[in-house]
Amino acid sequence: MSGNDINSFFDSRNTVEASSDLGDETLHYLEPIKSFARATYTSIYVIDYEKQGFEFVSDNALFLCGNTPEEVLQMGYAFYFKHVPESDLQMLLKINNAGFDFYEKIPVSERKEYSISYDFHIKNKEGRLILINHKLTPMFLTKQGKIWKAVCIVSLSSGKEAGNVKIYKKGQNKVYNYDLETNTWIVTEQVSLSKREKEILQLSTRGLTINEIADTIFVSPDTVKFHRRKLFEKLEVTNISEAIIFATNNMLI
């Protein structure tokens, strides 16, 4: 990694020198995030770009890699140097640079409407590599439009390898895919699910079997199987668990 230190993650284009001009909009903002963290299966943490570290880390075991939330909070970006393979660290720096380059071209008024998502490996306490999906969304900006605080959501990835870099805009049916080989953004339409496919996915997240889903939506089990096969083809996954993860990570349900 260039510089091989934590500062490599903090781009000069997003320098936040002081929070004095940020107002009181952030008072007590962590309380709802903490409540949400207790109610979700995903890991959540908050980045403070002024302090160049973490401000909150949830206690979900997936992201902690055997550490306590307090230890990860203390480590901040040093966590990545401890738990992310070198090849993926290099990739994360590249994504970081590409993301800020993209972000600088967005009108300030729209900057909080965009989220970036990508996959990378972390090494758990047993030393096993786990592919996770990491989604970052700005929460608070400075008056100059720099990201001051961002919330990050971490879940298991449905992908097969690191990368899968995507940027989404709220309410827009576009996905900006970053090609790590050519260093270019490619715009595609977001995958669209039918009403029936969403219905089957939502019922599957509740743990219902094919027969139970069929009874619930008043169709035959063969009809449910047909829609599941089409769903798997559309999402390029092999089973319902991967489909649920993909749909959740890509905000399809």
Side-chain angles (χ1 to χ4, degrees):
M1 172 166 284
S2 175
N4 199 33
D5 61 24
I6 295 166
N7 291 328
S8 303
F9 278 104
F10 294 94
D11 197 288
S12 60
R13 288 167 292 183
N14 193 69
T15 301
V16 180
E17 295 180 349
S19 58
S20 58
D21 68 335
L22 300 173
D24 58 3
E25 62 179 330
T26 62
L27 291 176
H28 312 300
Y29 86 96
L30 279 177
E31 293 310 311
I33 291 179
K34 291 176 181 178
S35 297
F36 176 63
R38 291 192 295 269
T40 181
Y41 70 92
T42 56
S43 298
I44 299 174
Y45 70 101
V46 174
I47 300 172
D48 185 321
Y49 284 92
E50 178 197 354
K51 297 177 181 176
Q52 298 191 351
F54 300 163
E55 189 166 39
F56 168 75
V57 178
S58 70
D59 61 2
N60 186 294
L62 172 64
F63 183 64
L64 297 178
C65 297
N67 301 286
T68 66
E70 292 73 24
E71 288 170 336
V72 175
L73 194 63
Q74 184 66 33
M75 281 188 280
Y77 273 80
F79 168 88
Y80 292 107
F81 288 87
K82 180 178 179 181
H83 291 287
V84 178
E86 178 63 24
S87 60
D88 281 15
L89 276 173
Q90 296 286 349
M91 182 196 69
L92 290 181
L93 181 59
K94 192 172 188 178
I95 293 171
N96 195 58
N97 290 334
F100 277 116
D101 183 57
F102 183 99
Y103 191 75
E104 283 290 301
K105 297 178 174 66
I106 301 171
V108 171
S109 61
E110 299 178 10
R111 289 183 177 180
K112 289 202 289 187
E113 298 176 9
Y114 286 80
S115 298
I116 185 168
S117 171
Y118 45 89
D119 297 339
F120 63 94
H121 293 92
I122 54 175
K123 188 180 296 184
N124 67 11
K125 62 180 179 180
E126 289 82 24
R128 185 166 62 91
L129 289 178
I130 299 173
L131 188 63
I132 60 169
N133 175 261
H134 184 276
K135 192 177 283 88
L136 183 151
T137 303
M139 287 192 301
F140 299 111
L141 307 179
T142 66
K143 291 179 180 178
Q144 294 74 35
K146 308 300 182 183
I147 303 176
W148 177 34
K149 296 181 190 288
V151 62
C152 301
I153 299 177
V154 179
S155 58
L156 288 172
S157 170
S158 62
K160 306 300 181 185
E161 56 187 26
N164 305 312
V165 188
K166 303 175 188 294
I167 286 181
Y168 306 88
K169 182 184 179 185
K170 179 183 176 183
Q172 189 178 70
N173 192 35
K174 286 182 184 176
V175 180
Y176 300 86
N177 300 275
Y178 188 67
D179 189 318
L180 289 162
E181 297 297 324
T182 62
N183 301 322
T184 55
W185 292 97
I186 301 168
V187 183
T188 61
E189 285 194 8
Q190 190 169 12
V191 174
S192 178
L193 301 183
S194 69
K195 180 180 177 181
R196 184 67 84 193
E197 288 166 343
K198 288 181 180 179
E199 203 171 31
I200 290 171
L201 266 177
Q202 289 164 349
L203 292 170
S204 296
T205 63
R206 292 166 46 189
L208 272 65
T209 65
I210 289 175
N211 288 338
E212 289 170 335
I213 291 172
D215 289 342
T216 302
I217 61 178
F218 306 107
V219 298
S220 70
D222 284 342
T223 299
V224 175
K225 291 177 184 178
F226 169 79
H227 285 294
R228 279 180 30 136
R229 283 196 301 271
K230 300 299 288 185
L231 179 64
F232 295 168
E233 291 174 10
K234 187 179 290 187
L235 302 185
E236 299 181 355
V237 299
T238 58
N239 57 57
I240 194 64
S241 296
E242 289 182 358
I244 291 169
I245 293 171
F246 182 97
T248 302
N249 289 342
N250 290 278
M251 296 175 281
L252 298 179
I253 55 174

